[in-house]
């Protein structure tokens, strides 16, 4: 029961951390590191859980499943935010390259002489 309760408490802390995900990129990196440490701790606790389970443990397990669904949803939201930021950075890099070398991506055949007599 102790491990299940510790897992439940850790899951609640993880969910509250995910709900407070900041918009700023630098602070989001700290949240990602924190979530990674939560995942490692949860993995260790999950390995320690063994059956048979009492009625109280079954109820706590159902609550844990519900919490896990919420955590998964929040982590998917965080992943989407990170992917959006990565797209923005790629677009900025592409735009900066086009300002530095505006004719770099142009492929034309202008000025090319083709001899049709042969």
């Amino acid at each position: 029961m102790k491990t299940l309760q510790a897992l439940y408490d850790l899951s609640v802390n993880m969910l509250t951390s995910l709900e407070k995900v900041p918009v700023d990129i630098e602070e989001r990196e700290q949240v990602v590191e924190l979530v990674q440490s939560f995942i490692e701790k949860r993995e260790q606790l999950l390995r320690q859980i063994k059956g048979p389970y009492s009625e109280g443990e079954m109820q706590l397990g159902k609550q844990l499943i519900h919490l896990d669904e919420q955590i998964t949803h929040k982590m998917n939201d965080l992943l989407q935010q990170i992917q959006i930021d990565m797209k923005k950075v790629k677009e900025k890099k592409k735009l900066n390259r086009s300002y530095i070398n505006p004719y770099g991506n142009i492929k034309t055949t202008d000025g090319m002489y083709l001899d049709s007599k042969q």
Side-chain angles (χ1 to χ4, degrees):
M1 184 73 172
K2 287 182 188 178
T3 10
L4 270 178
Q5 188 62 41
L7 182 63
Y8 180 80
D9 295 337
L10 188 66
S11 298
V12 168
N13 288 339
M14 186 175 180
L15 184 61
T16 55
S17 296
L18 284 171
E19 288 175 346
K20 297 177 184 177
V21 173
V23 179
D24 194 24
I25 295 172
E26 291 83 23
E27 294 176 14
R28 194 178 310 138
E29 289 176 10
Q30 294 171 353
V31 171
V32 169
E33 291 173 4
L34 181 65
V35 167
Q36 192 172 8
S37 69
F38 278 135
I39 289 172
E40 291 169 359
K41 290 176 186 175
R42 284 184 72 197
E43 183 180 351
Q44 291 172 358
L45 288 174
L46 283 171
R47 287 184 185 163
Q48 295 174 4
I49 297 174
K50 305 276 188 229
Y53 305 111
S54 68
E55 189 63 34
E57 290 174 334
M58 295 293 276
Q59 291 296 325
L60 196 57
K62 288 178 183 177
Q63 292 175 356
L64 273 169
I65 290 172
H66 181 68
L67 272 177
D68 190 48
E69 291 172 357
Q70 291 177 346
I71 288 171
T72 303
H73 180 71
K74 292 292 182 181
M75 287 181 71
N76 285 334
D77 290 345
L78 180 63
L79 176 66
Q80 287 177 352
Q81 288 178 350
I82 291 171
Q83 287 175 339
I84 289 170
D85 287 343
M86 288 174 64
K87 268 187 181 176
K88 286 179 183 178
V89 167
K90 284 183 182 180
E91 289 296 320
K92 284 182 183 179
K93 284 183 179 180
K94 186 177 178 182
L95 188 62
N96 284 341
R97 273 190 242 124
S98 69
Y99 279 122
I100 292 171
N101 188 7
Y103 303 109
N105 291 335
I106 298 176
K107 303 217 187 310
T108 63
T109 57
D110 289 347
M112 189 170 158
Y113 177 73
L114 296 175
D115 189 10
S116 60
K117 299 180 190 177
Q118 281 196 12

